[in-house]
Amino acid sequence: MSAFADAGRLRFGYRLKVPLALTGVALISGVSVALTTYALVDRHVEANAEAETQRLTATLARALVQPVLRGDVWQAHQTVRAAAPQAGDDRDAVQVIVLDAQGQVFASPSPRVHPLGQHLSALPEPMTRAARLVYERQPPAPARVAEEQRGPLVLAAPIVGDEDVLLGVVLAQHPRALTDAQRGSVVRQLVGLGALAIVVVALAGAALGLRITAPLERLRMAMRAAPARGLSAATARADDAAAASTVDDIADVCARDDEVGELGRSFASMLDEIAVKHELERHMLQAERMASIGQLSAGIAHEVNNPLGGMLAAIENRRLRGDLDEHTGRTLALLERGLRQVHGTVQALLNEARSEGHPLANDDLRDLELLLRAEADRARCRLHWALRLPQHAMLPAVPVRQVVLNLTLNAIAAAGARGEVDVRSRDDDGGWQVQVANSGAALDEERLAQLTQGSQRSAEGRLGLGLWITARILHTLGGRLRLAPPGERHATVLVADFVPAPTVVGAPAPGRSPDA
Amino acid sequence: MAGTASGLAAAAPEPRTLRFGLTPVFLDDRLRVLQMWRDHLAAALGEPVEFVQRGTYAQVMDLLLAGRVDFAWICGYPFVLHQRALRLVAVPQWRGQPLYRSYLIVDAASQARGLADLRSRTFAYSDPLSNSGFLYVQHALRGEGHDPARFFARSFFTHSHRHVVEAVANGLADGGAVDSYVFETLAELLPDLTRRTRVLQRSTEFGFPPIAASRHTPADDVRRLAEALLEMPSHEAGRRVLAELRLDRFVAADASLFAGIAEMARQQP
């Protein structure tokens, strides 16, 4: 059910969102570019219409001097038709009309529309107005008539002979913006080429998006698989092996220099922490088992050694009284050897139990520092280490190591990158205190109480199992875990009070057996 | 200086080239055909031939009369005008006879039924020295009692029969006068153009525009060119040229073939 819900939520995850976002951006960009291009083309046409028409009329006015002067209608017609298409071909194209000195049509590329001899008064109003302006000016000069905002532009250029004699007028009408045909062509090309470009860019965007999200997806799959692994000690070893495999799988993700790489490194670090906790738990269980065995062994030794001592003493007393026949002497000797063998066996059991509980030594503290400095370096956290052996008491090495290890690892995780962790000890008659301070978020009494329950999560989302174990070990040792007032640089200061309990050292206390 | 003169004297004589003037009595803008014809004549005459083209009949006639070209394909009208200064070399035969007509053409949609219906309209002539494209119309108008100078509201020359057809087809002129040989050839080559026009009136037959020689041209050259022209059907290349020109052959003729034109020319003021 949960997996199904997760799948539903992730159906529209970043794996789709990023490519779709890039595709969307490509679409918006393409449409924007197309609209901008269209606007620029329209403006460019408008800006060039007048200059183009002016050049056309001026050129025709010069070229038509001789044809108009000689009355060569055909030559004028050929010249005008070469310069401008027939109006009938495209009503939006430039229209040219040549008038003679009497204001009658002398040449036109569209003689059916403007036949020879047609008077200028029959022309469209803007052309008539422009022509009259030229005829009225002395000396002859070009005229310009522009209709309303988007209307046509009419330019008139005089055909001038020697001594400024007006021979005729060239009229040219030009659309000032994109014509319908041009607009259709531009739009078709923009749509066609734009669609092609958008498809290419969108595909590239989608491919790029998938490529970008691929590491995130791999990380997600790795993280999704991680919670499935049990945290119990029973399955911990298999889980740790799987975690190591996961870290190897995402090694290239962790090697990246971006945020995904940082996320991968954090995840790998979390897996490492879990593995360390699993190892600690295994040690804890093993130590507890060994302690139980030691206690059992001590009890057996206590119960066996006392009667055993009595029986051996009785055998010795019988020998001291003398008067032993040979048969009795051999019997006593047999009994003594048997009892001695039983004693040896018990002694061996006691020695074995005693070997699991060596007292805390400087080597243990050095091992801890070595281990924890590596962890701090990996987390880019600064570690101050000032842990000294207790002078007034002997403490068991294994639980102390576990306590210090747990507290310091938690502090490193809480302090984070560029954080600071301070580990120091205080030794007095009341016991031995280990103070672990960090510069991370502050921890209050209520939160500490929840975390030591073992079922709450820390602010970083990690289980408070470490603190729960620590509190349990300390409780076993007769000590406790408490909060100290925060320092200037440290928001959280945890103190582990170790109460010297000589009986704890070598818990089975075989050395204190009646036999010792 | 002496050295230069000596150098000039020592130079090889410039090869002679027969210069042949062309007028738009045929479709003289078909350059590929012209090249074929020129190559054939050069091969037949054994010397280079150069075709000379000008914008008007008058310009070519000036060259011919001045001996600047040796021969020219001219219209019958200028031939009869300058008959004494020219020698008739050969006449093309078209559709079985060395004859052609003048066509009066109008727009295909025109309602005109005769020449009189073109009064006060715009008219396109071919050339002032063209029989079919000018002289015949002038004669016909006078024959109907009209003053050719005032009959049309506006008239102009295109200096080419083909352009007359284009002017009428495009609506620039309401009517025009054109060589029947050129019109029928255009009807084969550019039917879309001639389809936009209609033949309003056909003239009587006239002598086909002849090949004439300048009086300055040596008689031997005249004889050799006449032979080359008359012998064209005997050669593959010559037949191809004639086919492209839509002509049967070139034939010998005398000036009497142009008597009709000469009569109209005499009536021309």
Side-chain angles (χ1 to χ4, degrees), chain B residues 71-121:
Chain B
F71 308 96
W73 190 358
I74 61 176
C75 182
Y77 180 29
F79 175 75
V80 299
L81 288 180
H82 304 281
Q83 190 173 343
R84 292 181 181 178
L86 302 172
R87 275 176 284 178
L88 186 60
V89 179
V91 179
Q93 177 179 303
W94 176 57
R95 295 185 176 177
Q97 291 183 302
L99 302 173
Y100 80 121
R101 300 170 191 266
S102 171
Y103 283 176
L104 293 184
I105 60 171
V106 292
D107 188 278
S110 172
Q111 302 296 316
R113 293 178 176 276
L115 183 59
D117 293 331
L118 295 178
R119 178 193 292 273
S120 301
R121 310 298 288 271

Short mmCIF file of all heavy atoms in Angstrom, two decimals, chain B residues 71-121:
data_model
loop_
_atom_site.label_atom_id
_atom_site.label_comp_id
_atom_site.label_asym_id
_atom_site.label_seq_id
_atom_site.Cartn_x
_atom_site.Cartn_y
_atom_site.Cartn_z
N PHE B 71 25.01 42.21 -96.45
CA PHE B 71 23.66 41.73 -96.75
C PHE B 71 22.75 42.09 -95.57
O PHE B 71 23.23 42.37 -94.47
CB PHE B 71 23.65 40.21 -96.95
CG PHE B 71 24.68 39.72 -97.93
CD1 PHE B 71 25.92 39.26 -97.50
CD2 PHE B 71 24.41 39.73 -99.30
CE1 PHE B 71 26.87 38.81 -98.40
CE2 PHE B 71 25.36 39.28 -100.20
CZ PHE B 71 26.59 38.83 -99.76
N ALA B 72 21.47 42.01 -95.81
CA ALA B 72 20.52 42.19 -94.70
C ALA B 72 19.19 41.54 -95.08
O ALA B 72 18.81 41.49 -96.25
CB ALA B 72 20.33 43.67 -94.40
N TRP B 73 18.55 41.03 -94.01
CA TRP B 73 17.18 40.50 -94.19
C TRP B 73 16.25 41.64 -93.81
O TRP B 73 16.15 41.98 -92.64
CB TRP B 73 16.98 39.28 -93.30
CG TRP B 73 15.70 38.53 -93.59
CD1 TRP B 73 14.75 38.84 -94.51
CD2 TRP B 73 15.26 37.33 -92.95
NE1 TRP B 73 13.74 37.93 -94.51
CE2 TRP B 73 14.02 36.97 -93.56
CE3 TRP B 73 15.76 36.53 -91.95
CZ2 TRP B 73 13.29 35.86 -93.17
CZ3 TRP B 73 15.03 35.41 -91.57
CH2 TRP B 73 13.81 35.06 -92.17
N ILE B 74 15.67 42.25 -94.82
CA ILE B 74 14.91 43.47 -94.59
C ILE B 74 13.45 43.27 -95.02
O ILE B 74 13.08 42.22 -95.55
CB ILE B 74 15.51 44.66 -95.37
CG1 ILE B 74 15.47 44.37 -96.87
CG2 ILE B 74 16.92 44.94 -94.88
CD1 ILE B 74 15.95 45.52 -97.74
N CYS B 75 12.68 44.29 -94.76
CA CYS B 75 11.27 44.23 -95.14
C CYS B 75 11.14 44.68 -96.61
O CYS B 75 11.98 45.39 -97.17
CB CYS B 75 10.47 45.14 -94.22
SG CYS B 75 8.70 45.12 -94.56
N GLY B 76 10.05 44.28 -97.21
CA GLY B 76 9.82 44.65 -98.60
C GLY B 76 9.65 46.15 -98.79
O GLY B 76 9.97 46.69 -99.85
N TYR B 77 9.13 46.85 -97.73
CA TYR B 77 8.88 48.29 -97.84
C TYR B 77 10.20 49.06 -98.04
O TYR B 77 10.34 49.80 -99.04
CB TYR B 77 8.10 48.76 -96.62
CG TYR B 77 7.77 50.23 -96.58
CD1 TYR B 77 7.59 50.97 -97.75
CD2 TYR B 77 7.59 50.87 -95.35
CE1 TYR B 77 7.26 52.32 -97.69
CE2 TYR B 77 7.26 52.20 -95.28
CZ TYR B 77 7.11 52.94 -96.45
OH TYR B 77 6.79 54.27 -96.40
N PRO B 78 11.19 48.89 -97.18
CA PRO B 78 12.46 49.60 -97.43
C PRO B 78 13.15 49.09 -98.69
O PRO B 78 13.90 49.83 -99.33
CB PRO B 78 13.28 49.32 -96.18
CG PRO B 78 12.66 48.16 -95.53
CD PRO B 78 11.22 48.20 -95.90
N PHE B 79 12.87 47.82 -99.07
CA PHE B 79 13.50 47.33 -100.30
C PHE B 79 13.00 48.12 -101.51
O PHE B 79 13.80 48.54 -102.35
CB PHE B 79 13.20 45.84 -100.48
CG PHE B 79 13.71 45.29 -101.79
CD1 PHE B 79 15.08 45.04 -101.98
CD2 PHE B 79 12.84 45.07 -102.85
CE1 PHE B 79 15.54 44.57 -103.20
CE2 PHE B 79 13.32 44.58 -104.07
CZ PHE B 79 14.67 44.33 -104.23
N VAL B 80 11.69 48.33 -101.54
CA VAL B 80 11.17 49.08 -102.70
C VAL B 80 11.57 50.55 -102.63
O VAL B 80 11.73 51.21 -103.65
CB VAL B 80 9.64 48.92 -102.84
CG1 VAL B 80 9.26 47.47 -103.04
CG2 VAL B 80 8.91 49.51 -101.65
N LEU B 81 11.74 51.05 -101.39
CA LEU B 81 12.16 52.44 -101.26
C LEU B 81 13.59 52.65 -101.77
O LEU B 81 13.92 53.69 -102.31
CB LEU B 81 12.08 52.89 -99.79
CG LEU B 81 10.67 53.08 -99.19
CD1 LEU B 81 10.76 53.51 -97.73
CD2 LEU B 81 9.88 54.14 -99.98
N HIS B 82 14.46 51.63 -101.56
CA HIS B 82 15.87 51.78 -101.92
C HIS B 82 16.27 50.72 -102.95
O HIS B 82 17.41 50.26 -102.98
CB HIS B 82 16.75 51.65 -100.66
CG HIS B 82 16.37 52.62 -99.60
ND1 HIS B 82 16.74 53.94 -99.62
CD2 HIS B 82 15.64 52.47 -98.47
CE1 HIS B 82 16.26 54.55 -98.55
NE2 HIS B 82 15.58 53.67 -97.82
N GLN B 83 15.36 50.37 -103.80
CA GLN B 83 15.58 49.26 -104.72
C GLN B 83 16.80 49.49 -105.60
O GLN B 83 17.55 48.56 -105.89
CB GLN B 83 14.33 49.08 -105.58
CG GLN B 83 14.34 47.82 -106.42
CD GLN B 83 13.00 47.61 -107.11
OE1 GLN B 83 11.99 48.21 -106.73
NE2 GLN B 83 12.98 46.78 -108.12
N ARG B 84 17.07 50.72 -105.99
CA ARG B 84 18.17 50.99 -106.90
C ARG B 84 19.52 50.83 -106.21
O ARG B 84 20.54 50.61 -106.88
CB ARG B 84 18.05 52.41 -107.44
CG ARG B 84 16.86 52.56 -108.36
CD ARG B 84 16.76 53.97 -108.91
NE ARG B 84 15.60 54.11 -109.78
CZ ARG B 84 15.27 55.24 -110.36
NH1 ARG B 84 15.99 56.34 -110.14
NH2 ARG B 84 14.21 55.31 -111.14
N ALA B 85 19.51 50.97 -104.93
CA ALA B 85 20.79 50.86 -104.21
C ALA B 85 21.02 49.45 -103.68
O ALA B 85 22.01 49.20 -102.99
CB ALA B 85 20.81 51.87 -103.05
N LEU B 86 20.10 48.59 -103.98
CA LEU B 86 20.19 47.23 -103.40
C LEU B 86 20.10 46.19 -104.51
O LEU B 86 19.67 46.48 -105.63
CB LEU B 86 19.05 47.02 -102.39
CG LEU B 86 18.98 48.00 -101.24
CD1 LEU B 86 17.68 47.78 -100.45
CD2 LEU B 86 20.18 47.82 -100.30
N ARG B 87 20.53 44.98 -104.16
CA ARG B 87 20.36 43.86 -105.07
C ARG B 87 19.61 42.75 -104.35
O ARG B 87 19.94 42.45 -103.18
CB ARG B 87 21.72 43.35 -105.55
CG ARG B 87 22.24 44.14 -106.74
CD ARG B 87 23.62 43.68 -107.12
NE ARG B 87 24.61 44.19 -106.18
CZ ARG B 87 25.90 43.93 -106.24
NH1 ARG B 87 26.36 43.13 -107.19
NH2 ARG B 87 26.73 44.43 -105.37
N LEU B 88 18.64 42.19 -104.98
CA LEU B 88 17.84 41.12 -104.38
C LEU B 88 18.63 39.82 -104.44
O LEU B 88 19.04 39.38 -105.51
CB LEU B 88 16.51 40.98 -105.14
CG LEU B 88 15.50 40.00 -104.56
CD1 LEU B 88 15.09 40.41 -103.14
CD2 LEU B 88 14.25 39.95 -105.45
N VAL B 89 18.83 39.22 -103.30
CA VAL B 89 19.63 37.99 -103.23
C VAL B 89 18.72 36.76 -103.25
O VAL B 89 18.89 35.88 -104.09
CB VAL B 89 20.49 37.96 -101.95
CG1 VAL B 89 21.30 36.66 -101.86
CG2 VAL B 89 21.41 39.17 -101.90
N ALA B 90 17.76 36.72 -102.34
CA ALA B 90 16.84 35.59 -102.27
C ALA B 90 15.63 35.99 -101.44
O ALA B 90 15.66 36.98 -100.71
CB ALA B 90 17.53 34.37 -101.64
N VAL B 91 14.58 35.18 -101.57
CA VAL B 91 13.36 35.44 -100.80
C VAL B 91 12.95 34.14 -100.11
O VAL B 91 12.94 33.08 -100.74
CB VAL B 91 12.22 35.93 -101.72
CG1 VAL B 91 10.94 36.17 -100.89
CG2 VAL B 91 12.60 37.18 -102.46
N PRO B 92 12.61 34.21 -98.83
CA PRO B 92 12.16 32.99 -98.14
C PRO B 92 10.81 32.52 -98.68
O PRO B 92 9.96 33.35 -99.04
CB PRO B 92 12.02 33.44 -96.68
CG PRO B 92 12.82 34.68 -96.57
CD PRO B 92 12.75 35.35 -97.91
N GLN B 93 10.66 31.21 -98.69
CA GLN B 93 9.36 30.64 -99.08
C GLN B 93 8.71 30.09 -97.81
O GLN B 93 9.28 29.27 -97.10
CB GLN B 93 9.57 29.53 -100.09
CG GLN B 93 8.26 28.84 -100.49
CD GLN B 93 8.50 27.75 -101.51
OE1 GLN B 93 9.06 28.01 -102.59
NE2 GLN B 93 8.11 26.53 -101.19
N TRP B 94 7.48 30.55 -97.57
CA TRP B 94 6.78 30.17 -96.32
C TRP B 94 5.42 29.57 -96.69
O TRP B 94 4.65 30.18 -97.41
CB TRP B 94 6.60 31.41 -95.44
CG TRP B 94 5.82 31.17 -94.17
CD1 TRP B 94 6.09 30.29 -93.20
CD2 TRP B 94 4.61 31.85 -93.78
NE1 TRP B 94 5.16 30.37 -92.19
CE2 TRP B 94 4.22 31.33 -92.53
CE3 TRP B 94 3.82 32.86 -94.37
CZ2 TRP B 94 3.10 31.77 -91.85
CZ3 TRP B 94 2.70 33.29 -93.67
CH2 TRP B 94 2.35 32.75 -92.43
N ARG B 95 5.22 28.38 -96.24
CA ARG B 95 3.97 27.68 -96.50
C ARG B 95 3.70 27.62 -98.02
O ARG B 95 2.59 27.90 -98.49
CB ARG B 95 2.81 28.31 -95.74
CG ARG B 95 2.98 28.19 -94.23
CD ARG B 95 1.79 28.69 -93.45
NE ARG B 95 1.99 28.46 -92.02
CZ ARG B 95 1.15 28.84 -91.07
NH1 ARG B 95 0.03 29.48 -91.40
NH2 ARG B 95 1.40 28.59 -89.81
N GLY B 96 4.76 27.31 -98.77
CA GLY B 96 4.60 27.04 -100.19
C GLY B 96 4.78 28.22 -101.11
O GLY B 96 4.89 28.04 -102.32
N GLN B 97 4.81 29.44 -100.58
CA GLN B 97 4.91 30.61 -101.43
C GLN B 97 5.84 31.64 -100.78
O GLN B 97 5.93 31.70 -99.56
CB GLN B 97 3.53 31.26 -101.62
CG GLN B 97 2.56 30.41 -102.45
CD GLN B 97 1.25 31.14 -102.66
OE1 GLN B 97 0.60 31.50 -101.67
NE2 GLN B 97 0.87 31.36 -103.90
N PRO B 98 6.46 32.48 -101.62
CA PRO B 98 7.29 33.54 -101.05
C PRO B 98 6.43 34.76 -100.69
O PRO B 98 6.76 35.89 -101.07
CB PRO B 98 8.27 33.84 -102.19
CG PRO B 98 7.50 33.56 -103.43
CD PRO B 98 6.58 32.43 -103.11
N LEU B 99 5.33 34.50 -100.02
CA LEU B 99 4.35 35.55 -99.73
C LEU B 99 3.96 35.55 -98.25
O LEU B 99 4.07 34.53 -97.57
CB LEU B 99 3.09 35.34 -100.59
CG LEU B 99 3.30 35.29 -102.11
CD1 LEU B 99 1.99 34.88 -102.82
CD2 LEU B 99 3.77 36.65 -102.64
N TYR B 100 3.48 36.64 -97.81
CA TYR B 100 2.96 36.75 -96.43
C TYR B 100 1.90 37.83 -96.41
O TYR B 100 1.63 38.48 -97.42
CB TYR B 100 4.09 37.04 -95.45
CG TYR B 100 4.52 38.48 -95.38
CD1 TYR B 100 4.46 39.20 -94.18
CD2 TYR B 100 4.99 39.15 -96.51
CE1 TYR B 100 4.84 40.53 -94.11
CE2 TYR B 100 5.37 40.48 -96.45
CZ TYR B 100 5.30 41.16 -95.24
OH TYR B 100 5.66 42.47 -95.19
N ARG B 101 1.32 38.04 -95.20
CA ARG B 101 0.28 39.06 -95.07
C ARG B 101 0.56 39.94 -93.87
O ARG B 101 1.45 39.66 -93.07
CB ARG B 101 -1.09 38.40 -94.86
CG ARG B 101 -1.55 37.48 -95.97
CD ARG B 101 -2.78 36.71 -95.51
NE ARG B 101 -3.13 35.62 -96.42
CZ ARG B 101 -4.01 35.74 -97.41
NH1 ARG B 101 -4.64 36.88 -97.61
NH2 ARG B 101 -4.29 34.72 -98.19
N SER B 102 -0.28 40.97 -93.78
CA SER B 102 -0.28 41.78 -92.55
C SER B 102 -1.53 41.40 -91.77
O SER B 102 -2.61 41.26 -92.35
CB SER B 102 -0.33 43.28 -92.89
OG SER B 102 -0.53 44.03 -91.71
N TYR B 103 -1.33 41.16 -90.44
CA TYR B 103 -2.49 40.86 -89.58
C TYR B 103 -2.78 42.08 -88.72
O TYR B 103 -1.88 42.65 -88.10
CB TYR B 103 -2.18 39.70 -88.62
CG TYR B 103 -2.21 38.31 -89.24
CD1 TYR B 103 -1.87 37.20 -88.46
CD2 TYR B 103 -2.59 38.10 -90.56
CE1 TYR B 103 -1.90 35.92 -88.99
CE2 TYR B 103 -2.61 36.82 -91.10
CZ TYR B 103 -2.26 35.74 -90.32
OH TYR B 103 -2.29 34.48 -90.85
N LEU B 104 -4.07 42.48 -88.69
CA LEU B 104 -4.50 43.48 -87.69
C LEU B 104 -5.04 42.69 -86.51
O LEU B 104 -5.98 41.91 -86.66
CB LEU B 104 -5.60 44.38 -88.27
CG LEU B 104 -5.20 45.31 -89.41
CD1 LEU B 104 -6.38 46.21 -89.79
CD2 LEU B 104 -4.03 46.18 -88.99
N ILE B 105 -4.41 42.83 -85.36
CA ILE B 105 -4.82 42.04 -84.20
C ILE B 105 -5.39 42.95 -83.12
O ILE B 105 -5.03 44.14 -83.01
CB ILE B 105 -3.65 41.22 -83.62
CG1 ILE B 105 -2.51 42.12 -83.18
CG2 ILE B 105 -3.15 40.21 -84.65
CD1 ILE B 105 -1.42 41.39 -82.40
N VAL B 106 -6.28 42.38 -82.32
CA VAL B 106 -6.87 43.09 -81.18
C VAL B 106 -6.84 42.14 -79.99
O VAL B 106 -6.53 40.95 -80.13
CB VAL B 106 -8.32 43.54 -81.46
CG1 VAL B 106 -8.35 44.62 -82.53
CG2 VAL B 106 -9.18 42.34 -81.88
N ASP B 107 -7.22 42.70 -78.83
CA ASP B 107 -7.31 41.88 -77.63
C ASP B 107 -8.34 40.76 -77.86
O ASP B 107 -9.34 40.97 -78.56
CB ASP B 107 -7.74 42.75 -76.45
CG ASP B 107 -7.67 42.01 -75.13
OD1 ASP B 107 -8.64 41.26 -74.83
OD2 ASP B 107 -6.67 42.16 -74.42
N ALA B 108 -8.08 39.60 -77.29
CA ALA B 108 -8.97 38.47 -77.50
C ALA B 108 -10.40 38.79 -77.08
O ALA B 108 -11.36 38.25 -77.63
CB ALA B 108 -8.45 37.25 -76.74
N ALA B 109 -10.55 39.68 -76.08
CA ALA B 109 -11.89 40.01 -75.59
C ALA B 109 -12.47 41.25 -76.27
O ALA B 109 -13.55 41.71 -75.90
CB ALA B 109 -11.83 40.23 -74.08
N SER B 110 -11.76 41.79 -77.23
CA SER B 110 -12.22 43.02 -77.88
C SER B 110 -13.51 42.77 -78.67
O SER B 110 -13.71 41.70 -79.26
CB SER B 110 -11.11 43.54 -78.81
OG SER B 110 -11.61 44.62 -79.58
N GLN B 111 -14.36 43.81 -78.71
CA GLN B 111 -15.63 43.72 -79.45
C GLN B 111 -15.48 44.26 -80.87
O GLN B 111 -16.46 44.26 -81.64
CB GLN B 111 -16.71 44.54 -78.73
CG GLN B 111 -16.96 44.09 -77.29
CD GLN B 111 -17.51 42.67 -77.23
OE1 GLN B 111 -18.38 42.29 -78.01
NE2 GLN B 111 -16.96 41.87 -76.34
N ALA B 112 -14.28 44.70 -81.24
CA ALA B 112 -14.08 45.31 -82.57
C ALA B 112 -14.35 44.30 -83.67
O ALA B 112 -14.00 43.13 -83.57
CB ALA B 112 -12.65 45.84 -82.66
N ARG B 113 -14.99 44.79 -84.73
CA ARG B 113 -15.30 43.92 -85.86
C ARG B 113 -14.50 44.32 -87.11
O ARG B 113 -14.48 43.59 -88.10
CB ARG B 113 -16.79 43.98 -86.18
CG ARG B 113 -17.64 43.39 -85.09
CD ARG B 113 -19.12 43.51 -85.43
NE ARG B 113 -19.95 42.85 -84.42
CZ ARG B 113 -20.23 41.56 -84.42
NH1 ARG B 113 -19.75 40.79 -85.37
NH2 ARG B 113 -21.00 41.04 -83.49
N GLY B 114 -13.92 45.48 -87.10
CA GLY B 114 -13.12 45.93 -88.24
C GLY B 114 -12.20 47.05 -87.83
O GLY B 114 -12.22 47.51 -86.67
N LEU B 115 -11.41 47.48 -88.81
CA LEU B 115 -10.45 48.53 -88.50
C LEU B 115 -11.13 49.80 -88.00
O LEU B 115 -10.63 50.50 -87.12
CB LEU B 115 -9.62 48.82 -89.77
CG LEU B 115 -8.50 49.84 -89.65
CD1 LEU B 115 -7.49 49.40 -88.60
CD2 LEU B 115 -7.81 50.03 -91.01
N ALA B 116 -12.32 50.06 -88.51
CA ALA B 116 -13.03 51.29 -88.12
C ALA B 116 -13.38 51.30 -86.65
O ALA B 116 -13.49 52.37 -86.03
CB ALA B 116 -14.31 51.43 -88.96
N ASP B 117 -13.52 50.10 -86.06
CA ASP B 117 -13.87 50.05 -84.63
C ASP B 117 -12.70 50.45 -83.74
O ASP B 117 -12.87 50.57 -82.52
CB ASP B 117 -14.33 48.64 -84.26
CG ASP B 117 -15.66 48.29 -84.93
OD1 ASP B 117 -16.44 49.22 -85.19
OD2 ASP B 117 -15.88 47.09 -85.21
N LEU B 118 -11.53 50.62 -84.33
CA LEU B 118 -10.36 51.02 -83.52
C LEU B 118 -10.16 52.54 -83.52
O LEU B 118 -9.14 53.03 -83.04
CB LEU B 118 -9.10 50.33 -84.05
CG LEU B 118 -9.09 48.80 -83.91
CD1 LEU B 118 -7.82 48.22 -84.52
CD2 LEU B 118 -9.19 48.40 -82.45
N ARG B 119 -11.14 53.25 -84.05
CA ARG B 119 -11.04 54.71 -84.09
C ARG B 119 -10.90 55.25 -82.64
O ARG B 119 -11.57 54.79 -81.73
CB ARG B 119 -12.28 55.32 -84.73
CG ARG B 119 -12.28 56.86 -84.75
CD ARG B 119 -13.66 57.39 -85.09
NE ARG B 119 -14.02 57.09 -86.47
CZ ARG B 119 -13.70 57.86 -87.51
NH1 ARG B 119 -13.03 58.99 -87.32
NH2 ARG B 119 -14.07 57.53 -88.73
N SER B 120 -10.01 56.21 -82.51
CA SER B 120 -9.76 56.88 -81.22
C SER B 120 -9.26 55.91 -80.14
O SER B 120 -9.44 56.16 -78.94
CB SER B 120 -11.03 57.59 -80.72
OG SER B 120 -11.45 58.55 -81.66
N ARG B 121 -8.69 54.84 -80.57
CA ARG B 121 -8.10 53.92 -79.60
C ARG B 121 -6.58 53.99 -79.69
O ARG B 121 -6.03 54.78 -80.45
CB ARG B 121 -8.56 52.47 -79.90
CG ARG B 121 -10.08 52.33 -80.06
CD ARG B 121 -10.84 52.72 -78.79
NE ARG B 121 -10.67 51.75 -77.74
CZ ARG B 121 -11.46 50.68 -77.58
NH1 ARG B 121 -12.47 50.49 -78.42
NH2 ARG B 121 -11.28 49.84 -76.60
#
